[in-house]
Amino acid sequence: MATSFLDLQGNPISEEQVLGSGGSALVLIQDNVAVKIPLRCPWSNTYEVQANTQKLRHEQDSYLTKCQPSLQLQLLWCLEITRTLSFIHDRCVLVADIASQNFLLDSDLSIKLCDISEASILPLGSDMKTVDDHGFNAQIDIGLLGTVMYEIVTGEKLRVDLFKDNSPTDGRAHWPKREFLLKTTDLWLGCSI
């Protein structure tokens, strides 16, 4: 049965897909993954949808700056996201879009990955140490995981431009050289980051 909610493309959302809703957002199950989207109904105008989108972005951007999780919770989150990535890589999938906005917290503050729409599904048995999909590889996934860990520990976003040094005709991802990355040796969990 359809609800009064619409997805990002304006299509009706079924009751079976809805995990929860609030004043400005909706959490859906899509392909066995929880996805949080701005609230949109048939009667919503463009301004309301944009406002809900902005609220969702603000929520994502401000949680770690407002709430300094304990060291124990930071470690738990870093372990959870590392285990999740390991599980995904074991199934021969490259995520490619690992960022804090693609992780959700449930009611007991466990962290869950969502929105892997940029992922590459590789043939089972692929050697994850050598696979390459337009420059994306397991090492880039791990590097991007480090940026999320950095944000967990510091509360600050760390952006890494994988296309910064490309020529105009090179659309491949490249991990920046170490000298262009922040030093993390003095941070809690810095060696892992």
Side-chain angles (χ1 to χ4, degrees):
M1 176 174 212
T3 65
S4 58
F5 302 120
L6 302 176
D7 66 16
L8 297 174
Q9 290 75 37
N11 302 313
I13 297 171
S14 70
E15 283 182 15
E16 297 81 32
Q17 288 180 276
V18 177
L19 295 176
S21 64
S24 61
L26 183 68
V27 179
L28 307 174
I29 187 80
Q30 292 180 335
D31 300 320
N32 293 322
V33 176
V35 178
K36 191 171 188 179
I37 64 170
L39 189 66
R40 181 178 178 188
C41 301
W43 54 85
S44 300
N45 62 41
T46 303
Y47 172 78
E48 291 169 327
V49 175
Q50 289 174 342
N52 289 341
T53 301
Q54 189 59 34
K55 287 176 188 174
L56 187 57
R57 286 188 181 130
H58 179 71
E59 176 186 326
Q60 293 168 342
D61 290 342
S62 64
Y63 181 82
L64 288 173
T65 58
K66 286 186 203 172
C67 304
Q68 180 61 37
S70 68
L71 295 181
Q72 181 180 3
L73 187 55
Q74 290 177 28
L75 180 59
L76 178 65
W77 285 349
C78 290
L79 289 171
E80 285 179 348
I81 64 177
T82 301
R83 282 188 201 115
T84 299
L85 183 60
S86 177
F87 177 85
I88 291 169
H89 282 179
D90 285 348
R91 272 112 190 115
C92 299
V93 175
L94 291 174
V95 179
D97 186 21
I98 299 174
S100 61
Q101 68 264 19
N102 293 335
F103 288 94
L104 301 175
L105 294 175
D106 67 14
S107 59
D108 68 354
L109 295 182
S110 292
I111 196 164
K112 310 293 183 195
L113 177 64
C114 68
D115 189 7
I116 57 170
S117 60
E118 300 296 318
S120 299
I121 302 172
L122 306 165
L124 287 177
S126 294
D127 182 357
M128 294 302 287
K129 292 179 183 173
T130 61
V131 295
D132 183 298
D133 185 21
H134 295 86
F136 286 97
N137 54 45
Q139 292 75 24
I140 285 182
D141 274 1
I142 293 167
L144 293 173
L145 181 73
T147 66
V148 174
M149 292 172 67
Y150 179 88
E151 188 171 346
I152 289 170
V153 169
T154 67
E156 299 171 15
K157 282 216 180 283
L158 176 60
R159 303 230 187 260
V160 175
D161 186 350
L162 300 176
F163 304 95
K164 176 181 166 290
D165 298 321
N166 288 12
S167 69
T169 59
D170 183 8
R172 296 176 56 78
H174 298 278
W175 190 254
K177 293 180 180 174
R178 182 68 180 119
E179 62 259 22
F180 299 115
L181 299 173
L182 289 177
K183 305 279 186 244
T184 59
T185 52
D186 295 332
L187 287 178
W188 154 247
L189 299 178
C191 292
S192 297
I193 295 170

